[in-house]
Every structure is written in structure tokens, then in C-alpha cells.
Amino acid sequence: MQCPGAQYLMFITGYSVAAGATGRLLFGYDSFGNVCGKKNSPVEGAPLSGQDMTQKKHVFFMNSCNLEVKDVRLNSTVLCVSRCPEEQLSTLEEVQLFADNNGSFLCVYSLNSINYTQNPNAYSLCPRLPVPPSKSFPLFNRCIPQTPECYSLFASVLINDVDILHRILSGIMSGRDIILGLCIFALALSLGMIVTFRFITTLLVHIFIALIISGLLFVCGVLWWLYYDYTHDLSIELDTERENLKCLLGFAILSTVITAVLLGLIFVLRKRIKLTVELFQVINKAISNSPFLLLQPLWTFAILIFFWVFWVAVLLSLGTAGAARVIEGGQVEYQPLVGIRYMWWYHLIGLIWTSEFILACQQMTVAGALVTCYFNRNKNDPPDRPILWSLSILFCYHQGTAIKGSFLITLMRIPRTILMYISNALKGKQHGVWSRCVFRCCFCCFWCLDKWLRQFNQDAYPATAINGTDFCTSAQDALKLLSKNSSHFTSVNCFGDFIIFLGKVLVVCFTVFGGLMAFNYNRALQVWVIPLLLVTFFAYLVAHSFLSVFETVLDALFLCFAVDLETNDGSSEKPYFMDQEFLSFVKRINRINAVRAQGAERSLRNEEGMELQPVV
């Protein structure tokens, strides 16, 4: 069976290469179809197209102080120039002097600089005077006017009327260095979490939980402080600033709810810390039989990075897909191709499914290696190369299992994404309380179903490695075994999963805090909420791919233990496969559960036998 993204990648890549032009989005282009900073091919019917703009990397608007949009087109001629005028130019003589001194020609290409002051049509072929001082900004490499009156008019027209996809992509490109730095920071934090869980102790767990609580409260406080700062900023005029303000409020409310829920769970489960440390010591002993399991996320991370870079490159090409059309005056405009927005949805589904498939392959590999080591009678002689053996079994026999598991997750995310799109489309329109309640209930149901399916897959993959059966059969067998043996250490297993989840939250919290501090310095000219969401998703994905090793080992150990109990009885004829340390840990858990059950039964009996006594 082929990888789910193979045909998707071939089709979408071929289409984007054939129809897209990423350079127009990254570097900007003039009114005659020339991409700035590149050598261009001519467009038929446009005499000023096809010029070599290698030295002209900046986009200059000849009428930057009076921009208007008419019929989805700007009323100003756009040129590629080698340098933006940093000082005001009040006369054509000053424009000519600027061209002679800096080699940056601000008039239409057909007019030679020596004729700036002599040609009778120079005023229509040169920028409107006075030319305001401007500075290049990484938003399409435009020359942004610096005078307050021109800046406000320029930004309100240009930014607010640019297509939303281009605004998002420009925000990503203008903050690409920050995004890259935050991704590396998330990677370093994830590696730190692996070291922490590998050598975990009771003291480390207390320090770890203290960091989680501090991080949650700090990020929550910073979000509310930034929202307060934005609401009292009187200069908020652009759509991007208003969008950042709305999303900040959403971030702040969401972080407050998450912080309250997690703090409550930490308080309730605080007494299980000691048992959790013992459980992680058992997990680390299982990992020690195949220590290269901890390096498995590095390969997953490298593959995810490659796929994500490729996905963004294709997205950029799709965002610029359009056909050149010559209009009056020999100028060129690009018309979007029909149906291109449906391609973005198709591309988004491909991102989710392929990312989930890559993570599913990692879970299958880890589970297969652990199963090979667990069901080995001679614990002093572990099997050779269990990871390579597990990988070979995966790609030869069980790709379909990984594809089906990842497809189930994708299938649940599609209606959630559609509901989110509908909810955003209905914002600002009057709709009743019942409709909002229905939307929230649907969001909650899909979220719960998504979490249940992830755990469903997590149990099905080790069962596939143990029995060699298909996805549906393995999932059915795993559910039966786990429901029959759920009384042993399900509560400790759940708290172990909760500690691992807190590790992911810690990575995301500190990454989001770094992103807030970095993106906050560029408020006006980029939609930094979208890059921040991208970084948040990436940080969680990296943390999940690294820390899910412990999660997969924990769930696989539980399932192997259930199979061991089902097929063996601990006698000399049928000894357990589990080692003595794991067996003593299970017995200790059973004793604790028995004591708690007796205490609950005794308290219940006392309550039933209690009678009211007369007051003497």
C-alpha cells in the first residue's frame, strides 16, 4: 500500500510548479509583470516586461500617498528600484539627482533619467511630488512611506485590501527568522524533556511540576497584559492590528481555561507522584534494552521538517497561481485561476494526513521494538537491532495499519476545521444563543472523539506488532484485553500519560512566550497571530514526536502485560515474560488498590449502618 501523501504530493506539486510563481509573493513585482530582484521573461503585448531586475530588489509606488483600489487594482504604477528614497524629494530635479547619485530610477522605465526635467510628460511618468521618505520593509519588499499621514493612508489601503492568504503568507515570510529560531528553541526544549524523563526522580518531578505551574501562570499573565496594552493603544487602525487584538483575546481566554483545568488536575493527582516515578523507572529499564529508541524522534523530526518545508513551498506557489493579462498602458495583472481556493483545502488535508502518518510510523516502530524485547525469554541477551527489525516489518506488512490510523484522525479533524470556518464566517452576524451552544457542543464532541481515537490507535499499534493482524482486528483484541485487565494499574498509567502531556505543555508554554515577546515588536504590518499559531502547532508536534516515545512505551508495556497475564500464569511451565522489577511493581500497585478498595468498602458500610442517636 502506498503512503497516503504520494499521489497527493505528486499532483499538488505538479500543479503548483506549473501554475504558481513564488517569486512574485516573496520579492514583489511591478506593474509590467517584472519580479523585483530577478531576471524576467517577457510577457507578450507588454513592451516593458522581461527586464533584468537583479539589482532592483525593492517595490516602489509612484503614488504612495494617494493609493486607492479600483476594480480590485491599485491606481498607482508600481516600479522595481534599487533603493528606496530615504529623504523627501520635492522636485523633479531632486528625483533626477537621486537617480544619478544612487542608480535608483523612480520614473517609468521608458523615460531616461536625463529627460526627467525635459520631457513634457515627465509629471505623468514620474512619481507624484513630493515623494515622501520611505524605508524598505520585508512585506513584499515594499518601500513604505515614513511620514505619518502617508503611512496611515498607504497601510490602510494596501494591507487591508490585500488578499487574506497573501497577508498570512507575508506575515510568515517577514517573521521567518523568528519562526525558525522558535522552532529550534522548541526542539531544544523537547530534547531537555527527554533527558528529564530518562533520569527522572521524585525531586525532578516536583521541580518539573513547579516549572509547569510557573509557565502556565506567566504565559497567561503576559497574554492578558498584551491584550490590555493593545486595547489602550490609540494607533490601532489597520485590519491586521484589529485581528491581532481579537486573537490575543482568544489566546488569553483559552490559556486561562487551560491553566485552571491543569492546575486542578495537578492538585487532585499530586499524591500519585511517587508511584509515577517508579513507573517511569520501569519504562526507562525497558528503553535501556534498546536505547536507540530515544533517537527515533530525531528521524521523525527530520522527516517532518522536510515535509513541512516542502508543504510551505507548495503553499507559496499556490498562493501566486494566476495567469498574466495585459491591460491598458502595457501593464500586466495576474488573474487567480478558477478553483484555486479549493486546492488550499485539499493541501491542508494533505498536511494533516501526512503528518499523522509520519507520527503513526514512529509509534509502530517503537511499539514493535518494545514488543520484540519484552517477549524475549533471556533478558540478559536482548535481541539484535530491534528497531531495524520493527522498521522492516512496518514497511513490508503494516503500512496499511498506519494509514488507517492516521486517516481516522484526519477524518475527525476535517469536520472540526469546517465548523471552525463556519463559526468564523458567522462572526459579526446576529445568530442566537442556541446556535452558539450547538457550535460549542459540536467542538467539544469532536475534540473528545479525536482524543479517544488517538488512544484507540495507540492501543491498536502494539497489538498489531504482537499478533501481526490488521488494524481493525488488532484494535478489537486490544480493547478486549485492556478492559479485562484494567484494574491493575490503569490509574497510574493515566497519571503517567498526564505527566508526559505536561511535558508537552511545558515546551509549548515557553515557545509561545518567546513568540509573544518576539512578534510583539512588529505589530502593524504583519498578521503575527498566524505565524504564532504555526509555531505553537509546530512546538506541540515536535514535543509530541519526542515525548510520545515514553507514551508509546508506557501503553505498549501495559498491553504486553495484559497479553502476558492472558497467556501465562507465572508457573514453571508458563512463566511470565515480564522481569522481576516490573512484576514487583505490579504487585505493589495491586496491594495499594486492594487497600483503597477495602477502605472505600468499610466507609460505605459505616455510612449504611449509621443511625441517629438521641441527644442526652
Side-chain angles (χ1 to χ4, degrees):
M1 187 176 289
Q2 289 184 336
C3 170
Q7 296 178 350
Y8 143 75
L9 286 175
M10 288 189 293
F11 172 72
I12 202 79
T13 303
Y15 182 84
S16 64
V17 169
T22 312
R24 292 206 309 269
L25 178 65
L26 299 182
F27 309 112
Y29 60 97
D30 63 13
S31 298
F32 308 101
N34 300 299
V35 178
C36 300
K38 288 181 60 179
K39 190 173 182 179
N40 298 274
S41 301
V43 177
E44 186 177 355
L48 295 180
S49 64
Q51 299 195 33
D52 186 359
M53 298 295 181
T54 308
Q55 302 301 322
K56 300 178 179 181
K57 301 180 179 181
H58 305 285
V59 181
F60 175 73
F61 293 83
M62 294 177 58
N63 192 13
S64 59
C65 287
N66 295 279
L67 282 182
E68 292 182 6
V69 177
K70 295 181 179 179
D71 298 327
V72 201
R73 288 194 297 114
L74 292 173
N75 66 340
S76 174
T77 302
V78 184
L79 303 175
C80 294
V81 297
S82 58
R83 184 177 175 181
C84 299
E86 297 180 358
E87 296 181 359
Q88 180 170 300
L89 306 176
S90 302
T91 63
L92 288 177
E93 286 77 11
E94 293 181 0
V95 174
Q96 185 181 44
L97 184 62
F98 176 78
D100 294 338
N101 293 339
N102 300 284
S104 184
F105 306 99
L106 305 183
C107 297
V108 176
Y109 308 133
S110 58
L111 182 63
N112 196 292
S113 61
I114 60 175
N115 295 323
Y116 281 5
T117 57
Q118 300 174 5
N119 193 305
N121 297 322
Y123 283 97
S124 61
L125 300 175
C126 289
R128 184 170 179 175
L129 300 175
V131 180
S134 57
K135 184 179 180 181
S136 180
F137 191 79
L139 184 65
F140 298 132
N141 292 325
R142 288 185 171 90
C143 292
I144 307 297
Q146 298 300 297
T147 56
E149 60 276 4
C150 285
Y151 169 80
S152 59
L153 290 172
F154 177 89
S156 61
V157 172
L158 186 63
I159 297 177
N160 293 349
D161 288 298
V162 169
D163 183 81
I164 184 64
L165 176 71
H166 285 200
R167 283 161 55 190
I168 291 171
L169 294 179
S170 65
I172 293 174
M173 292 310 302
S174 60
R176 58 187 179 274
D177 295 334
I178 297 174
I179 293 174
L180 180 62
L182 290 172
C183 291
I184 295 173
F185 182 57
L187 173 62
L189 285 176
S190 300
L191 291 173
M193 285 295 100
I194 282 188
V195 174
T196 301
F197 287 136
R198 184 69 179 86
F199 303 101
I200 199 166
T201 61
T202 305
L203 177 62
L204 270 180
V205 171
H206 284 289
I207 295 174
F208 171 70
I209 291 178
L211 284 174
I212 286 287
I213 294 173
S214 303
L216 286 170
L217 294 176
F218 197 63
V219 169
C220 189
V222 168
L223 282 168
W224 283 112
W225 173 77
L226 284 176
Y227 176 72
Y228 175 82
D229 189 42
Y230 263 79
T231 53
H232 289 78
D233 187 355
L234 300 179
S235 64
I236 292 182
E237 298 177 357
L238 308 179
D239 281 353
T240 53
E241 294 172 319
R242 288 190 286 269
E243 288 171 9
N244 291 340
L245 178 62
K246 292 178 183 177
C247 292
L248 260 181
L249 179 59
F251 269 132
I253 295 174
L254 182 64
S255 66
T256 303
V257 173
I258 292 175
T259 300
V261 172
L262 290 180
L263 290 181
L265 288 174
I266 290 172
F267 179 77
V268 171
L269 300 173
R270 69 191 186 282
K271 295 181 179 180
R272 300 178 184 265
I273 291 177
K274 186 176 180 181
L275 286 176
T276 303
V277 172
E278 295 182 22
L279 178 61
F280 272 97
Q281 289 171 352
V282 171
I283 293 173
N284 287 324
K285 186 171 182 180
I287 292 176
S288 64
N289 294 326
S290 183
F292 288 105
L293 279 178
L294 294 178
L295 298 180
Q296 179 66 25
L298 289 176
W299 297 104
T300 306
F301 177 74
I303 295 171
L304 281 173
I305 284 289
F306 173 79
F307 172 68
W308 270 58
V309 170
F310 179 81
W311 185 87
V312 171
V314 174
L315 179 65
L316 293 174
S317 295
L318 285 176
T320 56
R325 185 173 71 94
V326 180
I327 57 177
E328 68 275 3
Q331 296 188 4
V332 177
E333 69 174 9
Y334 293 92
Q335 290 185 326
L337 298 179
V338 179
I340 192 65
R341 291 187 180 274
Y342 298 105
M343 296 291 293
W344 299 338
W345 285 101
Y346 179 70
H347 196 42
L348 178 62
I349 294 172
L351 169 69
I352 298 172
W353 193 1
T354 307
S355 299
E356 293 294 341
F357 173 75
I358 294 170
L359 292 175
C361 287
Q362 174 185 293
Q363 293 174 352
M364 287 284 294
T365 303
V366 173
L370 181 74
V371 167
T372 304
C373 295
Y374 184 94
F375 291 103
N376 175 43
R377 287 292 183 190
N378 189 0
K379 300 299 181 182
N380 296 322
D381 185 21
D384 295 332
R385 302 180 183 88
I387 298 177
L388 292 178
W389 173 255
S390 179
L391 275 172
S392 64
I393 294 297
L394 167 64
F395 287 109
C396 290
Y397 303 106
H398 298 313
Q399 280 194 66
T401 299
I403 290 173
K404 289 176 183 176
S406 57
F407 177 72
L408 284 177
I409 302 297
T410 306
L411 203 61
M412 285 302 102
R413 288 203 170 187
I414 291 173
R416 286 177 63 190
T417 306
I418 293 174
L419 278 175
M420 190 177 299
Y421 176 79
I422 295 174
S423 178
N424 289 333
L426 292 177
K427 278 185 178 179
K429 299 180 181 179
Q430 291 185 353
H431 50 284
V433 177
W434 284 107
S435 60
R436 290 197 296 269
C437 183
V438 168
F439 272 117
R440 289 169 185 170
C441 290
C442 290
F443 276 125
C444 183
C445 291
F446 279 118
W447 182 84
C448 293
L449 188 57
D450 179 78
K451 294 302 176 185
W452 182 83
L453 279 176
R454 287 186 182 278
Q455 188 60 46
F456 181 78
N457 291 349
Q458 196 99 334
D459 296 333
Y461 296 148
T464 299
I466 293 171
N467 301 322
T469 51
D470 60 79
F471 177 79
C472 297
T473 306
S474 300
Q476 185 178 5
D477 294 342
L479 284 175
K480 289 180 180 178
L481 279 172
L482 292 176
S483 60
K484 187 182 296 185
N485 298 278
S486 60
S487 60
H488 288 283
F489 59 101
T490 306
S491 58
V492 180
N493 183 25
C494 291
F495 189 64
D497 287 335
F498 180 65
I499 290 292
I500 295 171
F501 174 72
L502 287 182
K504 301 174 188 178
V505 171
L506 182 67
V507 173
V508 173
C509 273
F510 281 93
T511 305
V512 168
F513 172 71
L516 286 171
M517 293 297 98
F519 286 121
N520 187 50
Y521 291 103
N522 257 341
R523 293 189 174 188
L525 287 180
Q526 62 177 355
V527 185
W528 58 258
V529 173
I530 300 300
L532 185 60
L533 281 174
L534 183 65
V535 168
T536 303
F537 177 69
F538 182 83
Y540 182 80
L541 194 63
V542 171
H544 177 72
S545 62
F546 275 79
L547 298 182
S548 62
V549 171
F550 294 94
E551 201 170 7
T552 305
V553 169
L554 179 60
D555 292 333
L557 266 179
F558 191 20
L559 189 64
C560 290
F561 166 75
V563 172
D564 206 359
L565 285 183
E566 189 75 14
T567 56
N568 302 297
D569 56 10
S571 63
S572 57
E573 292 81 11
K574 290 184 176 181
Y576 291 126
F577 280 96
M578 70 183 83
D579 56 22
Q580 289 300 317
E581 184 178 349
F582 191 17
L583 184 60
S584 61
F585 173 72
V586 171
K587 290 179 179 179
R588 192 179 306 116
I589 293 297
N590 287 338
R591 284 197 300 269
I592 292 173
N593 289 338
V595 170
R596 288 177 178 170
Q598 290 176 1
E601 184 179 355
R602 190 180 301 112
S603 63
L604 182 62
R605 191 181 300 118
N606 292 337
E607 289 178 2
E608 290 177 351
M610 188 179 297
E611 295 181 2
L612 293 175
Q613 301 294 330
V615 179
V616 180

